Amino acid sequence: TGQAMITETEATEIAIAQADQQHGVRAEARKVEVVKTWWGRRRYRVHLEMGWPRARAVLTVDSKTGGVEDVGSYAHPVPRENLPEITGEEALAIARREADRLGWAWRGEVSIRHRREGWGIKTNALCKGCNAFFGIDDRTGVVVHRGYWPR
């Protein structure tokens, strides 16, 4: 006993890291449920959205060990072509949130372009180095790729 329990935030980070590692696509937590077992332990059921067409997954994280015990998935309820297109400002906000989450610098002029496959965003666009790159799906708002040049 005496072992510290993990928090809801830590469980969410574990679930996102597991999804990122397994699928290579950025996952976003949408909801976290606390489930108590009959023997008194607590589990966190983390609902994630990831990839295209915004697949959804539910990971169950044990509060004592931090291990992922169960993974379930379900598809997006709305077909991609029926989703409204996100604006450039919304894509920029998503990229900014992702950069903050990863601890990447957000500097200088920002270049934002809408392409066939979605929104492309580059920070510090007029200089070499400290550039963060993001590809954001224009229908689902999911970060489909990202990169960073720290120099």
Side-chain angles (χ1 to χ4, degrees):
T1 62
Q3 185 179 6
M5 301 288 227
I6 66 169
T7 65
E8 187 174 316
T9 304
E10 291 169 329
T12 303
E13 290 171 0
I14 289 168
I16 288 173
Q18 173 100 5
D20 283 352
Q21 180 182 11
Q22 285 186 345
H23 303 288
V25 177
R26 167 74 176 116
E28 292 186 25
R30 291 293 173 210
K31 178 171 77 171
V32 180
E33 300 172 325
V34 179
V35 180
K36 292 187 178 179
T37 62
W38 62 271
W39 58 89
R41 295 256 301 268
R42 189 181 338 182
R43 293 197 168 108
Y44 298 103
R45 195 170 289 144
V46 183
H47 295 253
L48 302 172
E49 285 188 353
M50 59 188 155
W52 179 87
R54 198 177 244 174
R56 293 185 178 174
V58 180
L59 280 72
T60 304
V61 180
D62 186 279
S63 65
K64 189 171 184 181
T65 65
V68 177
E69 298 181 339
D70 185 30
V71 178
S73 63
Y74 49 97
H76 196 283
V78 179
R80 183 180 185 279
E81 58 273 4
N82 294 345
L83 293 171
E85 194 170 286
I86 67 169
T87 66
E89 291 81 24
E90 291 171 321
L92 198 58
I94 292 167
R96 181 78 187 228
R97 191 172 59 236
E98 179 73 359
D100 289 344
R101 184 186 78 82
L102 296 169
W104 292 354
W106 188 277
R107 294 192 182 133
E109 207 51 45
V110 176
S111 167
I112 181 166
R113 294 185 181 178
H114 189 262
R115 297 190 171 115
R116 187 170 35 111
E117 60 275 357
W119 290 100
I121 297 170
K122 177 183 176 187
T123 66
N124 205 18
L126 301 177
C127 301
K128 288 184 180 180
C130 283
N131 303 106
F133 301 90
F134 300 94
I136 298 172
D137 187 283
D138 61 351
R139 296 289 177 156
T140 63
V142 172
V143 178
V144 292
H145 67 271
R146 62 185 183 245
Y148 185 68
W149 290 348
R151 181 180 83 68

